[in-house]
Amino acid sequence: MTNIENQKFTALDISGKNYLSWVLDVKLHLSAKKLKHIIDEDNVASNEERATALIFLRHHIDDGLKYKYLTVENSLELWQNLNDRFEHLKAVVLPNALNDWSQLRFQDFKTVSEYNSTLFQIVS
């Protein structure tokens, strides 16, 4: 558990293909740092907390997104802008995952590990 602070997760891709997992990672990380309230509306956060969250968010997004939101100086505003940009992916990804899940059959795989791999891909 040493250096848990140094462990990174994948930055948000400019296409948003990893948005759903990125959101979960960000929320977990901010919760661990006791900063999750920063991304809630009507939060009462100090300037230091907002700056820390903004640095963290900017550090974990693609360079193209950094340049697009270069003028955003509020962590909540950046969070909402990214949410507005990529939230629609739930409407696309979820039906595809549900379809893949309904068609998943154990007998279609040669090994249990192949089945598990496909299962985890659908879940993620």
Side-chain angles (χ1 to χ4, degrees):
M1 288 271 247
T2 60
N3 280 338
I4 197 164
E5 185 68 27
N6 293 332
Q7 294 197 2
K8 307 264 188 254
F9 55 87
T10 307
L12 176 60
D13 188 66
I14 195 163
S15 67
K17 66 182 178 186
N18 65 335
Y19 175 73
L20 298 176
S21 62
W22 179 84
V23 165
L24 179 61
D25 290 338
V26 168
K27 285 181 178 179
L28 289 171
H29 185 82
L30 290 176
S31 291
K33 291 187 150 285
K34 296 180 177 33
L35 293 172
K36 190 173 180 206
H37 63 280
I38 300 291
I39 57 175
D40 295 332
E41 292 204 31
D42 301 325
N43 65 58
V44 209
S46 68
N47 287 337
E48 181 180 298
E49 289 176 325
R50 287 186 181 137
T52 302
L54 183 62
I55 291 167
F56 175 77
L57 289 173
R58 291 186 50 80
H59 182 71
H60 288 88
I61 60 176
D62 185 78
D63 287 339
L65 290 170
K66 281 182 193 176
Y67 295 126
K68 177 155 179 64
Y69 299 109
L70 189 61
T71 59
V72 176
E73 296 180 0
N74 184 335
S75 53
L76 177 60
E77 185 180 348
L78 177 59
W79 178 260
Q80 289 173 335
N81 286 342
L82 292 171
N83 189 39
D84 292 344
R85 181 180 178 127
F86 296 117
E87 185 68 20
H88 72 281
L89 292 176
K90 285 184 182 177
V92 174
V93 173
L94 184 59
N96 287 339
L98 291 173
N99 183 44
D100 291 346
W101 177 259
S102 68
Q103 294 180 5
L104 184 67
R105 298 182 326 163
F106 185 73
Q107 63 194 21
D108 292 339
F109 298 90
K110 294 180 182 176
T111 65
V112 173
S113 64
E114 288 177 10
Y115 175 80
N116 280 342
S117 176
T118 303
L119 176 72
F120 288 128
Q121 283 179 337
I122 293 171
V123 170
S124 67

